[in-house]
Amino acid sequence: MLANFLFLAPANAYAQFGYGKRFYPESVDLEGEAISATQVTLTWRLLNQNREYYTVRIYRASQQAPDALELLTTVSGTTVSFTDSGLKPNQTYSYQIRFRGTYPTMLSRPSNVARVLTLDPNTDSGAPLTVNVPRYTTADPNIRSAITTLSAKATASNKILLQWGSPRMRNISSLRIFRADPDNPGEFIYLWSIGANQHSWVDETVYPKSTYSYILRYRVSSNGTLLSPPTNVATATTPDGDGPTKEPLYTRKNTLPKSNETQLSNVQGQPASINVTGYNRTSNDSAVPLDNREETLMYVINQYRASLGLGPVRPSVNLCRAADYFAKDMASNGLGISQTHNSMGQGAAIRARDVGYNIPTQFGTLTFVTREEEPADFLERLKTQMRDGDVMANPIWKTIGIARSYDGMGNWLWAVEFAAFWDFTIPLPGEDEDGRVDGNELVRTRPPRAALEKGSFFSGYGDDGKPYSTLHCDYSTKACWKDPVETYNRALEELSDPDELIGQWHVQSTMSSSGITHFNDLNGYDMSSYTINLQLNRDRTWVMQGYKAYQKPTPVEAGTWKSVHDISSNEELVTFYRDSGKVAATLRVHVAKDRLTFFVIEGKDFFQSQKFDGDKTDDAQVIFTRNFGFLLGPHEAFPANLRCASCPR
């Protein structure tokens, strides 16, 4: 479901403006979610209420005029959710709400704008493939949901009553209900969303003489896509009698099938084995690793594919060698552009086989000539040429080979080879011979070798008529994994801008000095060593919640800060003054519009800086992105108003 809606967190969630002056201390958190091709469910929560309200005004804007919010309807002031019906499929709608008091002019401050994309009725992409929940992969296995009292009781043959208690959770606006059905009791599927103030709910979609299990997860308002760990599992069995009175929002067809399905295809040829011995990082192979221009071309091709909703391609060692041979052949034999066969008349399949890619699958080839243009520029030319654009936009591609060769007359001859099945790719930092990153079975560049050689089918790669997803599952074993994040921090190519420091941030990923990257995944497939929410205020105060991953209790700290721009390193030197006599820390920070990169290492209770030696490539990085998030364990609301009394200003 996450792929089908967008959530914009409220700016200045605590209504803090200017230099400490507070207006309207209330805040309204609104979340929207598409539940079908024609319906959107809104849930909201009013925080820090300081006056009485009697109704809620709901405003809506269409995709054609997203800023033209018009009054849609008015509901009771005690209502916490609303379902908008009669919408158009595949359309983005914008929503906002305001509470109204005794007089029409007595309105609360507006909520954030929640933008929601209605589902496509022709796909099954509306519900997530949530496999084997609960899944605990945090450093502390004792971390659980704040809700620990979920119970389930069958009250009729077609009704199960869920009840729970929860502590005060001011920053939670909605709860999600997941259910495991009798035919697959270990797989919990998203069933329903309700307001966070509810403590019971009746499932009327159950069948008689059947056993169902349930869990709850809640969504943190400061980041609409953030889910808590699951609650305890509650199970109930219905007696004999009548069938269900309602249909579930998400049916079993959205879950993984129990065995291979012939209509699905990963365009595979069941290789006898995957050769993993063909690449040595220290070898002088002209084909691998890719040079900077070749790396950039692969990046912009993947950016183009991502804009079309397609998956990335990864550099195959063997295909790069095939492309290198073809590019040199074109340069030395004067072959024209738009060639697909070499001087010996060999096509892509034969060229690939000759260098070790011996897999019967589909291939594609691009050839072109450039001088000194940037890859992004000549990619635009390729996109406008029908055949070349079609080749790059084919959803079946998994791997790519890129090479260029100079002809001595000012021209570069390029060859790009695509293939629809995986073989050994140029490894990422920390990647092993089976595609695992840093030994994590849940983060992979490709499916497991044993599954490839067995001929298994896999979901999420966009080659089966369904959209690409970063989550992939084996249809046979139901083992799932996610794609790794990019291991090159492209934000560092931008000029550091200290004006962008102000705002709310959270740790999204980390990169070690050797380039191994970990990211905080909301479903626990991977995690970094930090979970931090950081607020940098315009009045030079700062507040931080969290530090090392999932500490209990969650640490909080406040202080003041100053920064100096270092033009020689294209960074900011940010000094964090700390409370209670703690030693101040001056840290190197690169500041981009939506990313802070801290060049730091772990200290006892705060970051420690790394000296700049002229080369950032071997500096450990902690990367923050906008808004709060990823404090997955129970924790207090963010202490936005915490201040340091003893810090210099």
Side-chain angles (χ1 to χ4, degrees):
M1 176 61 63
L2 297 181
N4 295 96
F5 72 96
L6 298 173
F7 177 84
L8 298 182
N12 302 311
Y14 287 85
Q16 194 77 21
F17 296 90
Y19 293 87
K21 189 175 182 180
R22 176 182 286 275
F23 301 95
Y24 304 114
E26 300 165 332
S27 64
V28 184
D29 287 334
L30 173 66
E31 295 177 355
E33 187 164 11
I35 61 174
S36 74
T38 59
Q39 293 177 301
V40 166
T41 291
L42 304 175
T43 56
W44 57 83
R45 190 167 181 83
L46 175 64
L47 304 178
N48 305 320
Q49 181 175 351
N50 69 351
R51 67 186 72 179
E52 282 193 279
Y53 294 114
Y54 297 94
T55 59
V56 179
R57 290 186 170 188
I58 301 173
Y59 301 83
R60 184 182 73 191
S62 67
Q63 179 171 290
Q64 291 71 29
D67 296 324
L69 290 160
E70 297 179 355
L71 181 64
L72 174 65
T73 188
T74 300
V75 297
S76 166
T78 59
T79 303
V80 294
S81 64
F82 171 78
T83 298
D84 189 12
S85 302
L87 305 175
K88 296 180 180 180
N90 291 317
Q91 294 286 307
T92 298
Y93 292 86
S94 301
Y95 296 88
Q96 190 176 70
I97 67 168
R98 300 185 75 167
F99 285 75
R100 186 179 71 82
T102 52
Y103 300 102
T105 57
M106 186 185 293
L107 296 177
S108 71
R109 65 170 302 184
S111 72
N112 57 290
V113 175
R115 293 191 171 92
V116 188
L117 176 65
T118 53
L119 304 184
D120 184 345
N122 300 315
T123 70
D124 294 333
S125 61
L129 298 175
T130 306
V131 181
N132 296 329
V133 177
R135 181 197 299 275
Y136 301 110
T137 58
T138 65
D140 184 353
N142 296 314
I143 292 176
R144 295 293 185 266
S145 168
I147 303 172
T148 58
T149 57
L150 178 64
S151 65
K153 179 182 179 181
T155 58
S157 62
N158 51 17
K159 294 181 181 179
I160 291 179
L161 171 66
L162 302 183
Q163 294 179 302
W164 59 90
S166 62
R168 181 170 60 105
M169 297 186 294
R170 292 184 302 170
N171 60 328
I172 307 302
S173 62
S174 65
L175 301 175
R176 282 187 167 195
I177 300 170
F178 292 75
R179 185 180 75 188
D181 290 351
D183 60 335
N184 202 345
E187 185 178 0
F188 287 79
I189 302 300
Y190 176 39
L191 185 65
W192 218 273
S193 180
I194 59 176
N197 62 339
Q198 294 184 230
H199 292 84
S200 65
W201 183 77
V202 176
D203 185 0
E204 300 178 58
T205 68
V206 295
Y207 286 83
K209 301 177 66 174
S210 301
T211 299
Y212 297 88
S213 296
Y214 300 85
I215 59 172
L216 297 183
R217 302 180 79 177
Y218 49 85
R219 301 177 64 189
V220 179
S221 299
S222 61
N223 185 326
T225 63
L226 176 61
L227 293 182
S228 74
T231 65
N232 61 293
V233 177
T235 302
T237 301
T238 53
D240 196 7
D242 296 331
T245 58
K246 293 183 178 180
E247 287 291 324
L249 292 179
Y250 307 110
T251 61
R252 297 296 301 174
K253 68 180 181 179
N254 291 318
T255 67
L256 288 175
K258 295 182 177 179
S259 60
N260 291 358
E261 294 197 1
T262 56
Q263 73 270 22
L264 298 176
S265 173
N266 290 117
V267 202
Q268 63 200 46
Q270 294 192 23
S273 64
I274 300 293
N275 180 12
V276 298
T277 60
Y279 175 61
N280 184 342
R281 287 180 184 274
T282 62
S283 68
N284 293 320
D285 192 331
S286 65
V288 288
L290 302 179
D291 66 27
N292 288 338
R293 282 295 180 94
E294 293 163 349
E295 282 269 12
T296 303
L297 177 61
M298 184 178 68
Y299 171 75
V300 296
I301 287 175
N302 279 331
Q303 289 291 100
Y304 172 55
R305 289 175 61 84
S307 72
L308 302 175
L310 306 177
V313 288
R314 301 193 182 278
S316 158
V317 174
N318 288 324
L319 288 184
C320 285
R321 288 173 175 157
D324 186 57
Y325 162 76
F326 192 17
K328 290 176 178 176
D329 183 51
M330 288 191 296
S332 60
N333 290 287
L335 298 181
I337 61 173
S338 300
Q339 294 285 325
T340 59
H341 289 69
N342 62 18
S343 60
M344 299 176 61
Q346 295 172 326
I350 296 177
R351 292 194 300 270
R353 184 193 63 193
D354 287 347
V355 294
Y357 189 103
N358 192 20
I359 303 171
T361 187
Q362 295 184 34
F363 297 87
T365 300
L366 291 179
T367 58
F368 49 93
V369 61
T370 68
R371 287 187 176 267
E372 293 300 328
E373 301 102 316
E374 290 297 323
D377 295 331
F378 54 77
L379 179 75
E380 290 301 318
R381 295 206 311 268
L382 293 175
K383 285 159 46 176
T384 61
Q385 300 175 30
M386 182 174 297
R387 175 192 161 292
D388 294 338
D390 289 345
V391 170
M392 290 188 295
N394 193 329
I396 69 174
W397 303 138
K398 311 296 190 311
T399 54
I400 191 174
I402 299 178
R404 60 181 183 145
S405 182
Y406 188 63
D407 68 355
M409 296 181 290
N411 300 312
W412 288 94
L413 283 299
W414 288 78
V416 182
E417 307 275 23
F418 295 91
F421 196 65
W422 301 268
D423 73 332
F424 188 59
T425 52
I426 298 176
L428 300 177
E431 181 183 346
D432 64 19
E433 64 179 21
D434 202 28
R436 294 173 291 239
V437 176
D438 205 21
N440 187 355
E441 286 283 354
L442 304 179
V443 179
R444 294 178 156 276
T445 61
R446 61 183 181 274
R449 180 168 29 150
L452 292 175
E453 294 170 355
K454 179 183 176 182
S456 297
F457 293 109
F458 314 103
S459 69
Y461 286 104
D463 56 5
D464 54 2
K466 299 179 182 179
Y468 164 77
S469 168
T470 57
L471 175 65
H472 313 286
C473 298
D474 186 325
Y475 278 89
S476 298
T477 66
K478 297 192 177 180
C480 296
W481 58 91
K482 277 198 169 182
D483 291 337
V485 295
E486 189 179 6
T487 58
Y488 177 64
N489 188 351
R490 297 185 182 276
L492 300 183
E493 298 176 357
E494 303 175 19
L495 291 176
S496 182
D497 183 358
D499 291 340
E500 296 291 346
L501 277 165
I502 309 302
Q504 298 173 343
W505 304 88
H506 73 271
V507 171
Q508 178 63 43
S509 61
T510 58
M511 187 182 301
S512 72
S513 59
S514 60
I516 298 175
T517 301
H518 288 283
F519 61 98
N520 283 329
D521 177 68
L522 61 93
N523 286 314
Y525 283 80
D526 194 18
M527 62 177 293
S528 77
S529 53
Y530 304 100
T531 50
I532 298 173
N533 285 332
L534 174 65
Q535 181 169 297
L536 295 171
N537 297 316
R538 196 172 297 278
D539 63 357
R540 302 290 171 163
T541 60
W542 62 271
V543 183
M544 189 171 85
Q545 179 185 43
Y547 179 50
K548 297 179 183 178
Y550 306 105
Q551 287 175 274
K552 295 171 63 178
T554 303
V556 296
E557 187 174 352
T560 58
W561 62 276
K562 70 176 183 179
S563 69
V564 176
H565 182 70
D566 186 348
I567 192 172
S568 63
S569 61
N570 186 33
E571 296 169 352
E572 315 307 317
L573 299 178
V574 184
T575 300
F576 290 86
Y577 296 101
R578 307 173 65 196
D579 204 353
S580 305
K582 295 178 181 177
V583 178
T586 299
L587 308 178
R588 295 168 46 213
V589 183
H590 180 276
V591 185
K593 181 177 178 59
D594 295 310
R595 177 175 293 199
L596 300 183
T597 302
F598 281 53
F599 296 99
V600 294
I601 57 177
E602 182 181 299
K604 181 179 179 181
D605 61 357
F606 202 74
F607 292 127
Q608 294 183 4
S609 189
Q610 300 177 91
K611 292 184 179 180
F612 179 60
D613 59 4
D615 181 13
K616 300 181 183 181
T617 59
D618 59 354
D619 289 346
Q621 302 174 22
V622 178
I623 299 170
F624 289 73
T625 55
R626 291 278 183 188
N627 301 319
F628 292 155
F630 298 116
L631 283 163
L632 298 184
H635 61 89
E636 296 297 322
F638 185 82
N641 297 319
L642 185 65
R643 294 293 182 267
C644 171
S646 61
C647 297
R649 292 185 179 265

